[in-house]
Amino acid sequence: MSKDQDAALLEDCKRGDRKALDSLVRRYERQVFNAAYRMLGNREEAADVSQTVFLKAFEHLDRYDPRHKFFSWIYRIAMNESINQLKRRRPTEPLPESAQSASATPERELEAQRLGEDLQAALMQLQEDYRAVIVLRHFSEHSYRQIGEILDIPEKTVKSRLFSARQRMKDSLEQMGRIAK
Amino acid sequence: MMDDRARALVHAEIDGVLADADREELDQLAEASDEIRVYRARMQELDNLLTDAPRIEPPDRLHADIMNAIQLPAAAAERSNIGLRLMPGWLRYGVGAAAALVLAVGVFEYRNEPKDAFSPSMVSGTTLPDVRADSIELDQARFSADALTSTVTLSRRGQLLALDVEMAADEPVSLVLEFAESELMFDSMTPAPSPPDGIQLLGQGLRVAASGQRQFTILLRQSTAEAEGQLSLTWSNSAGVLQKKDFSINKKKSQG
């Protein structure tokens, strides 16, 4: 969706148009949920965070700067909320869950599931700021510039964090036998 | 030892921003160095793994939960009320009666379905029974500050726990109830003279948004009838946390 379309829908939302709200939420809810899931490794928390993200975005529409893209703003809230959620976790809380049920899964699906779990485990071993750039680059497919805008850091920092984050993920996945040493 | 230039080229290739001339340079560097060739291959493996990772489907109710949690500005409601005000009295009465009937049926349906987030406007002014007569007070908290005055009373009403909330706040506030340790879950809202603006169900709790003067009751259900534990209540606004209070459940009245 273009910036202009988002801007028009946002204007309609400000006038109380719930159809416009429905369109905007449908446009971004899956992406926000996936970004939150990759940051948190837990579906339930990711759903809570997604709900909070949209709630905060629309509660504070007056703070939205229309010179920036709506999705950058909403991703920024999503990243901040995910990191806040990680900080709220108690030290004794269990490790992230598997994304799918393991019961009666055919072999190929089971392998895909295990791979997904290993990837998520490798992600969860990263520091939050490194995890954020991997999530935004590889799962949300943002450019360096967009990631910089979302995280409020220079593009140069985006690149250097990506280099380090990938190196660490590679090392973790080598240890798990997912990447050749 | 691989230099920064080679590393930057490998990552630019992964990110799809490598110019043709730079690709030639990277090819030459990789040809001349096993270390660069292996690094490039491993990074491509990593990229493939990340690209192939499944996208996770959100819960079915996520969209409805988000939509129910968000209250847009009142402009639309104002507009719809203009039509109502222009109607003749007898027609206004008819519309009101029809709306009440729809609301009552809706609440009956709502009470018989599993619940997640919702807008309190869906359940306010309902025909739910008032069981306040059987109420046993367990605990009460009174807050009085510039930004918020409130009284929250926790009572047992039959099989349910009731939180009666009276509040007055100059700016929007949120009330977060956390019941992770109490095996509690949200049950319903009772008829409310002035319900909150929005309710959001959290993983193990509930967030209520409101402003101005409000009075409403939240009913909670215990998964284990005799469970003991605590219900944490936090009032906050845009400036931060205003008040906190832990309520004891299945215990004598605690210190306020």
Side-chain angles (χ1 to χ4, degrees), chain B residues 13-227:
Chain B
E13 183 179 45
I14 286 174
D15 290 323
V17 292
L18 191 65
D20 288 344
D22 290 338
R23 187 180 306 282
E24 273 180 38
E25 183 186 346
L26 178 59
D27 288 343
Q28 285 167 7
L29 288 169
E31 209 168 300
S33 161
D34 278 349
E35 189 187 2
I36 295 173
R37 191 166 58 249
V38 169
Y39 184 78
R40 185 185 193 183
R42 298 293 172 266
M43 282 297 163
Q44 280 171 344
E45 265 188 85
L46 172 66
D47 184 43
N48 291 340
L49 286 177
L50 289 167
T51 303
D52 293 342
R55 288 338 184 222
I56 309 298
E57 280 302 307
D60 292 341
R61 285 199 53 85
L62 181 63
H63 183 76
D65 287 349
I66 292 170
M67 291 298 294
N68 287 334
I70 297 172
Q71 299 288 309
L72 287 177
E78 282 290 311
R79 278 200 304 278
S80 66
N81 283 342
I82 291 170
L84 198 61
R85 284 200 295 272
L86 294 176
M87 287 178 189
W90 64 269
L91 190 52
R92 277 209 302 269
Y93 179 80
V95 169
L101 181 62
V102 168
L103 197 58
V105 171
V107 166
F108 178 80
E109 293 294 323
Y110 172 80
R111 296 266 305 164
N112 286 282
E113 280 185 8
K115 285 167 269 307
D116 267 317
F118 67 97
S119 164
S121 60
M122 290 164 62
V123 289
S124 59
T126 69
T127 57
L128 294 183
D130 185 358
V131 290
R132 195 179 291 252
D134 302 327
S135 187
I136 301 165
E137 186 178 318
L138 300 175
D139 211 342
Q140 189 176 68
R142 290 176 188 273
F143 305 141
S144 185
D146 288 345
L148 170 73
T149 306
S150 86
T151 303
V152 181
T153 308
L154 177 69
S155 310
R156 182 169 293 289
R157 290 186 195 166
Q159 300 297 311
L160 301 174
L161 290 167
L163 266 181
D164 292 306
V165 181
E166 289 178 42
M167 57 156 281
D170 294 338
E171 64 169 287
V173 291
S174 74
L175 169 62
V176 173
L177 305 174
E178 290 178 273
F179 29 81
E181 294 171 13
S182 305
E183 298 182 16
L184 282 174
M185 64 192 85
F186 174 70
D187 183 85
S188 57
M189 299 278 295
T190 62
S194 48
D197 297 324
I199 291 185
Q200 178 192 9
L201 292 190
L202 307 174
Q204 290 172 307
L206 189 67
R207 176 183 289 129
V208 180
S211 61
Q213 289 203 338
R214 303 298 170 104
Q215 187 179 350
F216 52 91
T217 301
I218 299 165
L219 294 176
L220 306 171
R221 185 178 294 279
Q222 279 174 287
S223 57
T224 308
E226 298 305 317

Side-chain angles (χ1 to χ4, degrees), chain A residues 144 154-164 166, chain B residues 11:
Chain A
Y144 297 147
E155 271 188 57
K156 198 177 168 187
T157 309
V158 172
K159 286 184 195 176
S160 69
R161 282 191 193 173
L162 262 177
F163 294 2
S164 303
R166 284 177 179 146
Chain B
H11 287 274

Side-chain angles (χ1 to χ4, degrees), chain A residues 3-54:
Chain A
K3 187 176 171 181
D4 287 347
Q5 283 174 305
D6 278 357
L9 286 170
L10 282 168
E11 281 306 309
D12 290 343
C13 285
K14 285 179 186 171
R15 287 193 288 270
D17 182 346
R18 290 193 72 83
K19 276 190 181 171
L21 172 69
D22 186 82
S23 299
L24 271 175
V25 171
R26 281 191 195 285
R27 173 64 56 173
Y28 294 113
E29 65 190 354
R30 188 175 301 249
Q31 299 169 44
V32 166
F33 173 81
N34 267 274
Y37 174 77
R38 292 300 174 186
M39 287 298 291
L40 298 163
N42 180 292
R43 273 173 63 84
E44 195 177 327
E45 285 184 327
D48 283 349
V49 162
S50 304
Q51 203 176 329
T52 304
V53 167
F54 284 98

